[in-house]
Amino acid sequence: MNKPLVHTVHYRGKREQPLNNVFIHAPTIIWVDQGFKKLWWHEQNLEFNRANWILVPAGQYLTFVNTPEQKLFHSRAMALNLPPPKDWLEPEKAIEPNNFPQIATTPQLEYCFELVSEMGNKGLSYQTQKQLLLGFYAELREMGALTKLFPNNQQMVRDKLANYLSSAPGDDHRIEVAASHLAMSRASLARKLTAEGSSFREVLAEIRMNHAIYLLQQDFSQMETALACGYQSEARFSQRFKQQFGITPHQYKGTL
C-alpha cells in the first residue's frame, strides 16, 4: 500500500506553547490559521500568522512559541512525502542562514493547500492525488518557493530512515529491518548515520517525540501516549520528552 502523499496535522492551544528542537522529518508547510507562531531561525526571530507560511525542508529542527489570539491557537502542518521532478529543482546547495523559510500566501496557493490537504479523504486514486500534488508544486515553483522545501536533489539517509519510521512510531523497530527496507546492511546504515552525525536510536526517539505531541493533541493521557510511543515507563517517557522539547508532557497538556 502506498504511503499517503501528504499528511496534515492540526495543532491547537489555549496558552503559549514553547517547544524546542522539533524535528521536521519531511518537507513541511505550516499554516497558522489563528494566533501567531514565533520562530527562531538561524539566530533570527520570525513571526508567522495567517498571511504567511513556513516552508521547512526535511532534516531541520524548529524552536518556536505558539501564541494564541482570543484564547485560541490553531495551525496546520502538511508533510510532503513525494519529491517534485528533479529538473524542477536547483543543483544541490547549502541552506543559507538568510534564506528565510517563509512565503506570503496567495488565493492560488491557499486553494492548492486546501485541495491537497483534503484529497486523501475523497477516495481519489493514487495517480490522481499525485497529479494534484504536482500541480501544487508547480504553483510553488511559479512563486520561486519550491526550493525552500526541496533545497537539493539528495535526501539524507537520516531523512529516509525517519520517513520510514514515521509510518508506525510506536512499533518495536529494529535497525536490521529498517536497513533492509532501505536496501542496505545494518553496518552500512549505522555507518552512514554516524557520518551524518546521527544514529538509529536518536532518529527513532525524535520520531516518537513528534508522535507524542500529536497524541497529546488528540487528548491521549500521558501514560497512553508513552505506551503508544514504545515506552513502558511513564517517567522515562516524560524525561525524554522534556529533553527534546524543553517542557514536560504535563506542561504541554496544560496549554491545550
Side-chain angles (χ1 to χ4, degrees), residues 161-178:
L161 174 62
N163 196 41
Y164 164 69
L165 297 174
S166 67
S167 297
D171 283 5
D172 184 21
H173 290 286
R174 293 284 184 265
I175 187 172
E176 297 86 356
V177 178

Side-chain angles (χ1 to χ4, degrees), residues 211-228:
H211 188 52
I213 290 179
Y214 168 75
L215 295 176
L216 292 172
Q217 282 275 340
Q218 305 306 310
D219 205 28
F220 278 54
S221 71
Q222 183 168 312
M223 189 63 208
E224 289 171 334
T225 302
L227 292 173

